[in-house]
Amino acid sequence: MKENIKDNLMNFFIIVTLVNIVIFVCGTILAPDQEITYSAFLVPIIDGALGIIPGIVMYSKRELTVKQMIVREVIQLLSIELIILIFTFGINGLRIENLTLIIAEMVSIAVVFVLVIVIRFFFDKRSAKIMTSDLKEFQRSFSAKESRD
């Protein structure tokens, strides 16, 4: 459980950073003349919090197969899409008049979701490499100590 909290906290900070980038890019393309207020700084934090809810809810202590993991990731993406779209537009705001903004939001959410997975992969790969190196060093020192005895 402690590891899940740490993972979700790391995901939160990655999401917040990526949402800031997405807001900048989408804002520059879709609404270049619009000025933002100080309350806009809360959007990435709220999106980050909303984005980790499915990860917290779908936590599993047992090891998942690759197929189960993919299904879980798809369910998480769809959940995040739905949660953030409803939070952003409200139920009544999901109309055809807002289709361009809804599609931009959905694509942005998917891009952030995939980037979080990719970034976490590289962090995990780096951690695994360090752990492997430490384990090899431990084995060398243990075998050297054992040969002296």
Side-chain angles (χ1 to χ4, degrees):
M1 184 67 167
K2 184 178 176 182
E3 189 66 28
N4 184 43
I5 292 170
K6 181 182 166 189
D7 286 345
N8 280 300
L9 195 57
M10 184 179 283
N11 288 347
F12 170 79
F13 288 112
I14 295 169
I15 291 168
V16 169
T17 302
L18 293 173
V19 168
N20 274 314
I21 295 168
V22 165
I23 289 172
F24 171 76
V25 171
C26 288
T28 302
I29 294 168
L30 298 174
D33 297 331
Q34 186 175 348
E35 293 183 18
I36 60 171
T37 63
Y38 288 116
S39 61
F41 289 105
L42 291 176
V43 172
I45 296 167
I46 293 167
D47 284 349
L50 294 173
I52 64 169
I53 290 172
I56 293 170
V57 172
M58 297 181 74
Y59 170 70
S60 174
K61 287 185 179 181
R62 67 183 183 88
E63 192 73 28
L64 301 176
T65 65
V66 174
K67 184 178 179 181
Q68 289 171 329
M69 190 63 132
I70 291 170
V71 169
R72 180 175 155 182
E73 296 292 334
V74 169
I75 291 170
Q76 280 185 322
L77 174 59
L78 295 175
S79 300
I80 293 168
E81 292 270 5
L82 186 62
I83 290 168
I84 293 179
L85 284 174
I86 289 172
F87 183 80
T88 302
F89 295 99
I91 296 285
N92 296 331
L94 298 174
R95 293 182 290 208
I96 197 75
E97 300 91 49
N98 296 330
L99 188 60
T100 304
L101 292 174
I102 291 170
I103 290 171
E105 182 92 11
M106 289 178 72
V107 169
S108 298
I109 293 167
V111 166
V112 167
F113 185 83
V114 169
L115 286 174
V116 167
I117 292 171
V118 169
I119 291 168
R120 287 303 308 269
F121 170 79
F122 285 112
F123 281 151
D124 292 345
K125 184 178 176 183
R126 190 178 119 234
S127 295
K129 189 175 181 180
I130 292 169
M131 288 172 62
T132 301
S133 174
D134 290 346
L135 182 58
K136 286 179 182 178
E137 182 61 36
F138 175 75
Q139 287 173 333
R140 277 192 293 266
S141 68
F142 184 76
S143 63
K145 181 182 175 187
E146 202 172 72
S147 65
R148 282 183 279 160
D149 293 340

